[in-house]
Amino acid sequence: MHSPVRILLCLALFFLKSSLSDETPDQLCNNLDAQQSCGQCIKAHAECAWCIDPHSSLVNRCQLKSKFTNETCTPHLVYSPQTAQVKTQQNLPLETKQHDGRTVVRLQPQAVSVRLMPGHSSTVTFKYLHQTDVNRRGTEPETMEIQTSDVKDSPINLTFYIVCDGELKKTKSCRVQNNQIVEFKIEVTVNSCSNSGDVTLSVGILGQRTIAGIYVTTICGCECEKHPEINSRLCHQNGHLVCGQCVCDPSRGGDKCECPLATLGVSTASELEDKCKFNSSTPVCSSSGKCKCGQCQCNRPTVTGKFCQCDNDSCPLSSNGKVCSGNGVCDCGTCKCEMGWERDDCSCSTASNNCVENGELCSNNGRCECNRCVCNMGNTGAFCGSIEKEQKPMENKPTDDLPETTAASVTETTSTADLPSDEELEKALDDSVKSTEATSSSALKIFWLFYFLVVILFAY
């Protein structure tokens, strides 16, 4: 009785984990693991790319490929390998002679290289010329069967397809006629990185001597990682340059290994980087600067603060486009108004000279706000000195008694000015649906999960 409950609870917890851990490609490219190295970057997501430009000023070298610009990374130094690459190495036509001058080509192509990232697949297409053994009698169809070398202990999966009887079928064998050309496909899938390097597959037909080769390379790192620049001058000769990034000696830190850890009071490069964080959960220099030997150097003159946490361009703009209305200064995102001005954007004058007439403030019929009179109900005018005239209510008369032009104008005003058009209503509804879908997807998943758990608990 408890076993089904345990199983259902495990399924529910798995669902909760998958619901809460959905990350966008951008988030995957920017997580801490992806920033460690080029190899970690391209494993994070197929759309992630790494800047191998050693002169780039980027803090995060791993980003979505589409986010790199000419200013952030030299275009030809953005490394982003294809998830799947197939290249034919040898492709002699059927019925021609092999290089020995005697053997007839009966399998085409003869050699193919495949490069794949884990979790991806690619298909190699072959043509096979079936010829019956001359010593065999009879004209009955024979069975051709695809054979390959064993892949049981490798990270490779193979799926076979043959165009059999005019239809592509998922199978390894098919009935064929003498001298028939048969097309078949092998789908190669890489499940994980190979510890033993490249995988070589032999492809043939059972009972036949003709053989082809598939050479599978797993893309689990970057080519540039195989050729580091040892004790690079760009790393102050205190580290190796790997894919444009300095990998420093244990006693050094900084982007270019320019920081001696002992003299800065830390023992590791990560401790040195922590000096540039407000706390452990915030990014280095608030993502608005670079950490130089434990001190933040902000990207722009308007960004200030020990951790570059103050953006002095982020204060409110007035209607004239001026920061703090030109009546104050922006300090860490907050307007500090000059004397005589107030409000968040310093747009309100504290003076009252424009509210005074004949020695009275707003004629004693209102209050002064931002050097303008705000009149009490029933009063009007620049100084609230006038009394509003009461408008007599219109008698309730049928529209038919109104002049023709008046009735028409009332109808037109009601139908065109007061009511939105069909297009506006449809757009508003569409925007509302999209907004609701975007904001409630995760909430709905969690709601149904807990609803499911409550039902299980009450059932048992």
Side-chain angles (χ1 to χ4, degrees):
M1 192 127 173
H2 294 287
S3 181
V5 175
R6 185 175 298 175
I7 294 172
L8 290 172
L9 285 172
C10 289
L11 289 172
L13 289 173
F14 173 79
F15 178 78
L16 176 62
K17 181 179 178 181
S18 63
S19 298
L20 298 179
S21 62
D22 289 340
E23 289 185 280
T24 65
D26 190 23
Q27 291 171 326
L28 290 171
C29 297
N30 280 284
N31 67 33
L32 291 177
D33 289 339
Q35 300 302 328
Q36 297 304 311
S37 67
C38 180
Q40 290 291 101
C41 175
I42 64 172
K43 288 180 190 176
H45 194 273
E47 296 179 30
C48 295
W50 180 269
C51 178
I52 62 175
D53 183 356
H55 302 290
S56 173
S57 59
L58 282 172
V59 176
N60 293 344
R61 288 183 174 270
C62 185
Q63 295 183 17
L64 282 176
K65 186 177 181 181
S66 58
K67 285 200 167 185
F68 286 105
T69 65
N70 293 345
E71 289 73 29
T72 58
C73 188
T74 305
H76 72 274
L77 295 178
V78 176
Y79 183 81
S80 177
Q82 296 179 9
T83 57
Q85 302 173 8
V86 178
K87 187 176 181 180
T88 301
Q89 303 292 343
Q90 185 176 341
N91 193 26
L92 296 174
L94 294 176
E95 300 188 85
T96 60
K97 296 294 181 63
Q98 291 275 18
H99 296 301
D100 60 9
R102 298 188 308 273
T103 308
V104 177
V105 174
R106 294 172 58 192
L107 195 57
Q108 179 189 5
Q110 296 79 47
V112 179
S113 64
V114 178
R115 290 172 54 84
L116 287 172
M117 280 188 180
H120 293 80
S121 61
S122 192
T123 301
V124 181
T125 301
F126 291 92
K127 289 182 180 180
Y128 162 64
L129 172 62
H130 181 76
Q131 291 184 333
T132 303
D133 188 343
V134 292
N135 296 320
R136 180 181 179 276
R137 294 182 180 182
T139 59
E140 289 296 318
E142 296 180 285
T143 299
M144 64 155 282
E145 182 177 338
I146 305 171
Q147 276 193 319
T148 64
S149 49
D150 188 16
V151 295
K152 183 174 59 177
D153 297 326
S154 75
I156 306 295
N157 276 348
L158 301 178
T159 308
F160 303 90
Y161 301 88
I162 302 177
V163 179
C164 194
D165 299 325
E167 182 182 352
L168 184 65
K169 298 179 180 180
K170 185 178 179 180
T171 179
K172 288 183 70 174
S173 61
C174 179
R175 300 280 282 173
V176 294
Q177 300 283 351
N178 186 33
N179 291 323
Q180 180 180 346
I181 295 177
V182 184
E183 182 177 286
F184 66 90
K185 301 173 184 288
I186 300 178
E187 183 182 54
V188 183
T189 303
V190 172
N191 299 316
S192 61
C193 292
S194 173
N195 295 326
S196 56
D198 296 352
V199 178
T200 301
L201 301 173
S202 297
V203 179
I205 305 300
L206 182 64
Q208 305 291 334
R209 293 184 178 181
T210 184
I211 293 177
I214 301 178
Y215 307 96
V216 182
T217 300
T218 307
I219 305 175
C220 291
C222 302
E223 289 297 318
C224 51
E225 291 177 328
K226 301 176 183 178
H227 310 286
E229 186 179 323
I230 307 300
N231 293 327
S232 171
R233 293 181 63 184
L234 291 174
C235 304
H236 289 73
Q237 295 183 325
N238 291 304
H240 310 324
L241 187 66
V242 184
C243 298
Q245 184 180 51
C246 286
V247 179
C248 304
D249 296 340
S251 63
R252 290 278 175 156
D255 289 342
K256 305 299 180 186
C257 307
E258 71 276 20
C259 310
L261 301 179
T263 60
L264 296 169
V266 294
S267 56
T268 65
S270 60
E271 289 180 10
L272 183 65
E273 192 176 72
D274 287 343
K275 285 191 168 186
C276 293
K277 296 180 180 180
F278 182 75
N279 57 49
S280 58
S281 62
T282 56
V284 173
C285 299
S286 307
S287 298
S288 297
K290 296 188 72 173
C291 187
K292 292 292 185 181
C293 297
Q295 294 185 336
C296 285
Q297 292 185 355
C298 304
N299 294 336
R300 304 192 313 273
T302 55
V303 176
T304 60
K306 180 180 179 180
F307 305 104
C308 301
Q309 74 276 17
C310 296
D311 187 353
N312 295 326
D313 272 343
S314 61
C315 284
L317 300 177
S318 64
S319 57
N320 60 11
K322 292 183 178 181
V323 177
C324 301
S325 306
N327 300 317
V329 294
C330 186
D331 182 19
C332 204
T334 302
C335 284
K336 290 194 173 179
C337 303
E338 298 172 356
M339 186 177 294
W341 297 92
E342 59 184 8
R343 289 194 178 171
D344 292 345
D345 60 353
C346 302
S347 61
C348 182
S349 173
T350 59
S352 60
N353 56 298
N354 290 335
C355 298
V356 177
E357 184 183 44
N358 298 325
E360 292 183 337
L361 187 71
C362 299
S363 304
N364 294 324
N365 295 318
R367 64 187 185 279
C368 188
E369 285 189 8
C370 303
N371 209 11
R372 293 286 185 274
C373 283
V374 179
C375 302
N376 297 333
M377 187 177 294
N379 296 95
T380 186
F383 299 97
C384 305
S386 302
I387 299 176
E388 288 185 330
K389 294 181 180 179
E390 295 185 6
Q391 296 182 355
K392 294 182 179 180
M394 292 180 62
E395 296 181 7
N396 295 327
K397 293 183 179 182
T399 312
D400 295 339
D401 295 340
L402 293 174
E404 185 177 348
T405 55
T406 306
S409 63
V410 169
T411 303
E412 182 180 354
T413 303
T414 303
S415 61
T416 60
D418 296 340
L419 298 177
S421 66
D422 291 344
E423 291 79 2
E424 291 172 329
L425 286 171
E426 290 177 3
K427 184 178 184 302
L429 180 60
D430 186 51
D431 291 344
S432 176
V433 170
K434 288 180 180 178
S435 175
T436 303
E437 290 177 350
T439 57
S440 65
S441 176
S442 296
L444 279 173
K445 288 180 180 178
I446 297 173
F447 169 79
W448 284 114
L449 171 65
F450 283 101
Y451 176 79
F452 184 55
L453 289 173
V454 170
V455 170
I456 294 171
L457 293 174
F458 274 102
Y460 290 91

